[in-house]
């Protein structure tokens, strides 16, 4: 009887081990299967991607207005690599206006030495080169002043489309967040909020400037701002952004400070 | 995998507990499967051998071959008791009838005792299967409720009720119920299956007991 009992216990022990092994195997199989075919639950990543704000990632490839703008002004050459390229190609075009001069020189009866001629040519080439450089710089300067002056926009963007302008970008983010949090108890509530966004992209100040007195609506706007501020990109050129936004149930409008 | 690692501590504990339940219940299922399978097979062969043999002592010498059958235990107990009765009978030389009846009573009691101990042995651990089958869905449900509670707390904090925020927490929570069911379903099925098998074995033991007593009585009265 005793031997039988111990035999049974041994049998139970071995089946316990077998069961553990089976469970581990099934678990590993599931893990392996999960690796092979990972579940697509990354909903949060896709959530904030919307068509309006896509130009934010590449402002220059943005709306048709921006493209038209880019067509007006030729694309600025990159300062390091392309600056030398026109210098190499330019002498050929510069040599054309130099041709008549050359003819005039040749017509001169005086015996000009070839060394002097070479010096002249070099001088002319240098002049053409410096002119070309000047023109490029001028073009760049014009470009920068067209975009960087006055309002703070995204670098390289001149349009007033959403995404090309930082305040429009903020507004659109706020609109997205506001859609989730919106709630109000009065008929036509309105809240005006002043926002200051520091150079690190965080809200440094938010102040309710004017409110229609709907507490629920105020809370909703503040929560929308908190939600949206998690994903703000810093303002361009490390500036501090300030803006006044008018929140209404119909939407958010941006009133310039 | 992310479902498991992302879950909260309570949900994780519930999952571990359910995993242990599952491991132990499967161990019991395997153990019982072999035990009952052997008991059935060896009982059948023992019965064949029993009816072919003419003498109890011949059977008793061969009985070790069928050590896993509950019938052999019954036979051993009955045969041992019968031997004792016959020995005392030979010594005392009292009134034959009363001793015979008393002897049969003794053998019957010994068989009943052996039957009971065999039933206990066969039903050992089966209660755990029943417990797993009935409680692990509830444990899983507890984990799910807890997970959903924490998920809703998170939703309340972020203030957003979009599907993207709600869905992962609930998916994490629901896995507890899923694993509870995975542990419970085989346990319940195995419990019912083994209950049936053991009932068949108990019937066999009962009929063997009566057969054994009949043979003993026939032999004593025919003496």
């Amino acid at each position: 009887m005793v031997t039988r009992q111990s035999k049974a216990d041994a049998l139970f022990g071995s089946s316990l081990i077998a069961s553990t092994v089976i469970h581990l195997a099934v678990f590993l199989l599931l893990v392996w299967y999960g690796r092979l075919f990972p579940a697509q639950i990354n909903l949060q990543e896709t959530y904030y991607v919307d068509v309006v704000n896509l130009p934010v990632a590449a402002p220059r490839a943005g709306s048709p207005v921006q493209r038209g703008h880019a067509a007006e002004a030729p694309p600025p050459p990159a300062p390091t690599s392309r600056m030398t390229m026109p210098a190499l190609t330019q002498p050929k075009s510069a040599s054309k206006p130099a041709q008549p001069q050359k003819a005039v020189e040749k017509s001169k009866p005086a015996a000009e030495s070839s060394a002097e001629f070479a010096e002249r040519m070099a001088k002319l080439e240098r002049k053409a080169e410096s002119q070309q450089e000047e023109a490029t710089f001028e073009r760049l300067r014009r470009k920068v002043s067209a975009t960087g002056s006055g309002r703070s926009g995204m670098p390289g963007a001149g349009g007033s489309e959403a995404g090309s302008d930082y305040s429009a970008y903020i507004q659109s983010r706020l609109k997205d967040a506001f859609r989730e949090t919106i709630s109000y108890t009065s008929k036509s509530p309105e809240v005006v909020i002043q926002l200051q966004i520091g150079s690190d992209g965080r809200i440094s100040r938010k102040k309710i400037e004017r409110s229609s007195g709907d507490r629920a609506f105020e809370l909703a706007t503040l929560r929308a701002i908190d939600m949206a501020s998690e994903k703000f990109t810093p303002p361009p050129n490390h500036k501090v952004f300030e803006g006044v936004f008018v929140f209404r149930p119909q939407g958010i409008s941006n009133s310039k400070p | 995998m992310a479902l498991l690692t992302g879950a909260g501590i309570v949900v994780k504990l519930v999952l571990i507990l359910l995993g242990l339940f599952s491991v132990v219940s499967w161990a019991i299922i395997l153990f019982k499967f072999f035990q009952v399978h052997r008991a059935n097979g060896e009982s059948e062969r023992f019965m064949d051998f029993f009816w072919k043999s003419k003498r109890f002592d011949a059977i008793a010498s061969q009985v070790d071959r069928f050590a896993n059958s509950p019938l052999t235990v019954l036979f051993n107990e009955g045969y041992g008791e019968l031997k004792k009765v016959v020995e005392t009978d030979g010594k005392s030389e009292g009134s034959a009838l009363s001793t015979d009846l008393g002897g049969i009573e003794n053998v019957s009691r010994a068989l009943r005792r052996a039957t009971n101990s065999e039933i206990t042995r066969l039903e050992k651990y089966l209660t755990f299967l029943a417990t797993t089958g009935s409680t692990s869905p509830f444990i899983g449900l507890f984990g799910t409720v807890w997970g959903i509670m924490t998920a809703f707390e998170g939703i309340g904090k972020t203030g957003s009720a979009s599907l993207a925020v709600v869905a992962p927490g609930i998916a994490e929570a629901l896995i507890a119920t899923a694993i509870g069911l995975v542990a419970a379903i085989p346990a319940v099925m195995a419990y019912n299956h083994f209950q049936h098998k053991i009932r068949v074995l108990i019937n066999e033991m009962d009929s063997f007991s009566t057969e054994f007593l009949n043979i003993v009585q026939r032999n004593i009265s025919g003496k």
Side-chain angles (χ1 to χ4, degrees), chain A residues 68-151:
Chain A
H69 184 83
E72 272 170 38
T80 51
S81 62
R82 287 212 190 144
M83 277 305 280
T84 53
M85 287 294 282
L88 283 174
T89 53
Q90 195 56 37
K92 276 174 194 168
S93 61
S95 65
K96 271 171 198 163
Q99 212 71 43
Q101 260 187 329
K102 224 199 252 175
V104 172
E105 277 164 21
K106 276 202 176 159
S107 68
K108 275 184 183 175
E112 255 185 5
S113 67
S114 60
E116 247 174 84
F117 174 72
E119 200 183 304
R120 249 165 201 269
M121 273 305 288
K123 209 185 269 175
L124 272 172
E125 270 175 17
R126 265 202 300 279
K127 200 177 170 189
E129 212 169 281
S130 68
Q131 264 174 0
Q132 171 71 15
E133 262 178 34
E134 197 67 25
T136 312
F137 277 134
E138 183 55 36
R139 223 181 297 135
L140 263 176
R141 230 172 275 141
R142 235 185 296 135
K143 180 88 183 156
V144 168
S145 67
T147 57
S149 69
R151 52 207 300 210

Side-chain angles (χ1 to χ4, degrees), chain B residues 203-216:
Chain B
N203 275 342
E204 266 180 29
M205 283 192 280
D206 280 344
S207 51
F208 178 78
S209 300
T210 45
E211 286 295 335
F212 190 87
L213 285 176
N214 281 352
I215 290 165
V216 168

Side-chain angles (χ1 to χ4, degrees), chain B residues 19-46:
Chain B
L20 284 178
F21 265 51
S22 181
V23 167
V24 174
S25 68
W26 271 99
I28 291 168
I29 289 169
L30 290 175
F31 170 66
K32 281 285 150 192
F33 177 77
F34 286 120
Q35 195 188 27
V36 170
H37 186 74
R38 275 188 198 167
N40 265 334
E42 289 187 13
S43 290
E44 214 167 283
R45 278 187 282 136
F46 175 73

Side-chain angles (χ1 to χ4, degrees), chain A residues 4-5 8 15-16 19 23 180, chain B residues 22-23 31 73 121 124 160:
Chain A
R4 219 174 135 168
Q5 193 62 42
S15 39
L16 195 64
S19 165
H23 276 77
E180 307 236 332
Chain B
S22 181
V23 167
F31 170 66
V73 179
R121 188 178 71 87
K124 198 179 171 188
S160 152

Side-chain angles (χ1 to χ4, degrees), chain A residues 1 4-5 7-9 11-13 15-20 22-23 27 31 34-35 41 43-44 47 180-181 223 227, chain B residues 1 3-4 22-24 26-28 30-31 34 38 67-70 73 118 121 124-125 158-160 162 164-165 167:
Chain A
M1 207 59 190
R4 219 174 135 168
Q5 193 62 42
K7 216 169 128 188
D9 284 345
L11 184 65
F12 183 69
S15 39
L16 195 64
I17 291 167
S19 165
T20 314
I22 290 169
H23 276 77
F27 182 72
V31 168
R35 286 268 165 77
I41 325 180
L43 287 169
Q44 254 166 339
Y47 180 69
E180 307 236 332
T181 63
R223 233 172 37 205
M227 247 177 82
Chain B
M1 198 56 202
L3 288 181
L4 300 183
S22 181
V23 167
V24 174
W26 271 99
I28 291 168
L30 290 175
F31 170 66
F34 286 120
R38 275 188 198 167
N68 285 305
S69 167
V73 179
E118 278 306 290
R121 188 178 71 87
K124 198 179 171 188
Y125 304 131
T158 55
S160 152
S162 69
V165 180

